Amino acid sequence: MIMVSSCLAGMKVRYNGTDCLEKSLKTLFDGGQAVAVCPELLGGFATPREPAEIVGGTGRDVLDGRARVIDRSGKEVTAMYLEGARITLDTALQFGVSTVVLKSNSPSCGSAMIYNGEFTGVKIPGEGVTAALLRRNGIEVISEQELADRLEDLGL
């Protein structure tokens, strides 16, 4: 069993009410081979919602209390991101998930790059809050692009 970001499975749960459908992941989800989660919804957010970015570091820094998650209007939403990450980890453990495919660049799900916290569209190396927590607990986290690269390497 793998876990995937709900937006990658075609659910319209992103901050702006859209999805980022990856057909291969939707097929796995529809076939019962993947469980879909949206850490932000699990943390108590609604759709649509203000976009948010990590200010002062990365998801690891948020976990350690050295950075915060702030939405575009300036409201601190760190607690909701931490709650969503915790519930996502609990769900992964419940289902025995070893690999999670998360949406790239997200303050929750980014696995290699996130936005820099200035709402200017600039990305920096780092991971989101959920990706960081999952990795701290020994769960492999990859992006949708990394999954596509792996499938291509396998000739699929």
Side-chain angles (χ1 to χ4, degrees):
M1 180 70 68
I2 68 167
M3 180 180 281
V4 301
S5 289
S6 295
C7 63
L8 297 175
M11 298 172 203
K12 297 186 182 312
V13 297
R14 295 185 71 222
Y15 75 94
N16 59 2
T18 63
D19 64 53
C20 295
L21 176 64
E22 291 288 330
K23 290 180 182 176
S24 62
L25 294 176
K26 180 164 178 35
T27 300
L28 289 173
F29 174 71
D30 289 346
Q33 297 168 299
V35 60
V37 296
C38 176
E40 293 172 18
L41 293 184
L42 292 172
F45 288 98
T47 302
R49 58 191 167 275
E50 285 284 317
E53 296 186 7
I54 298 172
V55 175
T58 68
R60 288 180 188 205
D61 297 312
V62 172
L63 294 177
D64 294 337
R66 294 188 307 261
R68 302 176 302 147
V69 186
I70 307 293
D71 73 16
R72 189 182 329 192
S73 67
K75 178 182 175 189
E76 181 170 352
V77 292
T78 305
M80 295 171 81
Y81 275 79
L82 290 169
E83 178 69 1
R86 184 192 62 75
I87 294 170
T88 300
L89 173 61
D90 289 348
T91 304
L93 295 173
Q94 174 188 347
F95 282 92
V97 168
S98 59
T99 301
V100 181
V101 183
L102 296 177
K103 177 68 185 112
S104 57
N105 308 319
S106 158
S108 291
C109 299
S111 60
M113 301 289 286
I114 56 172
Y115 290 98
N116 71 352
E118 298 176 4
F119 297 93
T120 57
V122 175
K123 296 174 193 165
I124 60 171
E127 59 195 350
V129 178
T130 298
L133 184 62
L134 292 170
R135 284 181 171 151
R136 275 198 182 166
N137 285 273
I139 297 172
E140 179 185 33
V141 177
I142 63 173
S143 70
E144 67 275 25
Q145 184 56 54
E146 289 172 290
L147 176 67
D149 293 345
R150 286 185 185 185
L151 293 175
E152 184 177 313
D153 289 346
L154 295 171
L156 302 173

